[in-house]
Amino acid sequence: MFDKSVYVRRRKTLVAKMAESAAEGKRGIALFVGNAEAPAQYKDNCYKFRQDSTWLYFFGIDEPLFAAVIDLDNGDEEIFADDVEIGDIIWMGPQPSVASKAALAGVEKSSPYGALDNVVSKALAAGRPVHFVTPSRYYNTMKIASLLKCNDAEVAGKFSLALTKAIISMRLVKEDCEIEQLDDASALGHEMHTVARNNIVLGRVEQEIVGRMEAVTLAKGWGVSFPTILTQHGETLHNHLHDKVIESGRLMVIDAGAENNMHYASDFTRTYPVNGKFTTKQRDIYQIVCDCNELAFKLTRPGITYREVHLKTMHLMLEELRALDIVRGNLNNMVEAGVAGLFMPHGLGHGMGLDVHDCEAIGERSFDFSEIAEQAAKSGTCIQRSTWRIEPGTVMTDEPGIYFIPALIDKCRAEGKYKGIVDYEALDAYRDFGGIRIEDDILVTESGSRIIGDRKIPVTVEELEGLKSLF
């Protein structure tokens, strides 16, 4: 945990933000439900516990079955959890009291977990709003439904837009203590990628590399920040299969990150020629992605929108693909028509912090973005991120890619899409190419941006081919 002053300050800021957005009358209460353990095969054999990130942000207690209420009218706070009994002590040993854990978060009042029902019922009976963010876990959905006396399906429609916006506005601007944790997670991610790179050996099964690189995150941190993507079939964007034998001439996409013990994430991607040297065709496409990665980094600064960075980067991508005679025509028209989506059908990056896709569990699925959804889908930008104006303290990824996806190429060709713009016959030579992605983590500063961590993973053609002795 951070020092309790961090959590106290955050909660006071939240109450102030909610006061600013409140309509006339009572502001109500803010409800926070931490995660519960989830059985894997049977009740006492659970999946590895991961606490809810919003709970961690405001309370920091990294244990299951905790909840809290903040009274938005008077600022009173209360944590709800149960002290251990003899049965728990037999299996777990003596444990600190709930009151002592609450004190570490700067909360003076604590009560048994079951008392939460009475507090929420009392608020509802008094006609007070009960604010909560959209839950991502089934347990949390069911718990909130029980507290609100509604069915599970109704919970998503009852979330608080005001609380969600207030929390996102705070979490997307990182404090100094968070940046230190992100730098730490970056160092761990850098090490796992180095291990992965050094274990690319012809004839080796991909799973062996995954096991060795993920071991680093378990030895020095919480584990991976998301399921590792390591594949010679990078045209499948989220390829979690690791059963292939490394074959000569292929490209290996490694998209992986570490979560440190404070649950802050890193997320890097590199693409390697498994022989240690690119073919001419591979080098040409790789250089385009590398140029796009560098341009996006240079463009990222306070005040610019995510959409601007994305579209300017896509402009460069199409310009360089045009130089290879893969596309033809006016670049601005191509960008507007979304031609880049054929080669990169995803957004340029995402926010990062306590979640590897920071705040998206409570954000993108909760807002109505219908006015910009069509344009966002066309350009390949993600809906929520299209409206994102970057500011100092923002942490985001920079991850352009080029993928030759046979099924997508065939679909667009059959539909006559981008006719006269995309040279589909030229694309026939890339059907077995795979994909390339390059990703770095960026902190926006007062004057521009910097890479998270103290060094960058080797990325240029010269750097990678200079490492060929390691393959």
Side-chain angles (χ1 to χ4, degrees), residues 379-391:
S379 66
T381 59
C382 294
I383 296 174
Q384 176 190 17
R385 301 174 216 157
S386 293
T387 63
W388 186 13
R389 188 169 294 281
I390 298 163
E391 57 185 308

Side-chain angles (χ1 to χ4, degrees), residues 224-279:
V224 296
S225 54
F226 58 95
T228 296
I229 299 164
L230 185 148
T231 179
Q232 296 162 92
H233 287 276
E235 74 278 8
T236 303
L237 303 186
H238 279 186
N239 195 332
H240 296 139
L241 295 175
H242 307 132
D243 59 348
K244 302 296 186 294
V245 174
I246 299 176
E247 301 176 6
S248 180
R250 301 293 297 179
L251 292 170
M252 174 75 77
V253 174
I254 304 176
D255 186 343
E259 186 170 313
N260 77 352
N261 287 322
M262 285 285 286
H263 298 296
Y264 284 83
S266 61
D267 183 5
F268 300 112
T269 307
R270 289 295 183 267
T271 304
Y272 300 102
V274 300
N275 297 87
K277 190 174 179 63
F278 292 99
T279 66

Side-chain angles (χ1 to χ4, degrees), residues 176-239:
D176 289 344
C177 60
E178 293 183 283
I179 293 169
E180 290 177 4
Q181 294 300 320
L182 287 162
D183 282 335
D184 178 66
S186 173
L188 194 53
H190 192 291
E191 184 175 345
M192 72 185 293
H193 273 264
T194 301
V195 169
R197 182 182 70 235
N198 291 348
N199 277 278
I200 298 175
V201 176
L202 295 179
R204 180 168 286 167
V205 178
E206 294 166 343
Q207 183 178 350
E208 293 183 46
I209 305 175
V210 174
R212 295 178 188 188
M213 65 189 292
E214 291 190 355
V216 173
T217 71
L218 292 170
K220 299 183 178 181
W222 182 85
V224 296
S225 54
F226 58 95
T228 296
I229 299 164
L230 185 148
T231 179
Q232 296 162 92
H233 287 276
E235 74 278 8
T236 303
L237 303 186
H238 279 186
N239 195 332

Side-chain angles (χ1 to χ4, degrees), residues 261-435:
N261 287 322
M262 285 285 286
H263 298 296
Y264 284 83
S266 61
D267 183 5
F268 300 112
T269 307
R270 289 295 183 267
T271 304
Y272 300 102
V274 300
N275 297 87
K277 190 174 179 63
F278 292 99
T279 66
T280 300
K281 186 188 295 185
Q282 289 170 345
R283 185 184 298 108
D284 289 342
I285 300 300
Y286 184 89
Q287 190 59 56
I288 297 174
V289 179
C290 200
D291 291 345
C292 289
N293 173 264
E294 183 62 22
L295 175 64
F297 174 68
K298 289 178 178 177
L299 289 171
T300 302
R301 62 183 185 276
I304 197 168
T305 64
Y306 168 86
R307 179 176 169 80
E308 287 179 80
V309 178
H310 179 99
L311 294 181
K312 287 180 179 179
T313 303
M314 295 305 94
H315 189 284
L316 176 63
M317 177 184 291
L318 290 169
E319 180 180 10
E320 296 194 18
L321 286 173
R322 186 175 66 176
L324 296 177
D325 288 328
I326 291 175
V327 296
R328 304 182 183 121
N330 180 276
L331 289 169
N332 291 329
N333 292 343
M334 281 193 272
V335 172
E336 181 65 24
V339 175
L342 174 61
F343 304 99
M344 191 183 108
H346 61 74
L348 182 63
H350 51 81
M352 199 177 67
L354 278 166
D355 296 322
V356 74
H357 278 235
D358 214 29
C359 295
E360 288 189 18
I362 64 173
E364 188 158 295
R365 294 183 297 168
S366 301
F367 296 111
D368 177 11
F369 289 99
S370 56
E371 293 181 8
I372 61 170
E374 184 178 346
Q375 183 57 42
K378 209 185 244 190
S379 66
T381 59
C382 294
I383 296 174
Q384 176 190 17
R385 301 174 216 157
S386 293
T387 63
W388 186 13
R389 188 169 294 281
I390 298 163
E391 57 185 308
T394 299
V395 173
M396 60 190 296
T397 63
D398 165 11
E399 54 178 311
I402 292 179
Y403 316 87
F404 296 96
I405 307 169
L408 181 59
I409 293 170
D410 291 344
K411 181 177 185 295
C412 291
R413 189 176 196 170
E415 293 173 354
K417 206 167 185 178
Y418 314 132
K419 190 174 182 180
I421 300 174
V422 174
D423 187 337
Y424 287 102
E425 291 186 4
L427 287 183
D428 287 339
Y430 292 85
R431 292 184 70 85
D432 63 350
F433 183 93

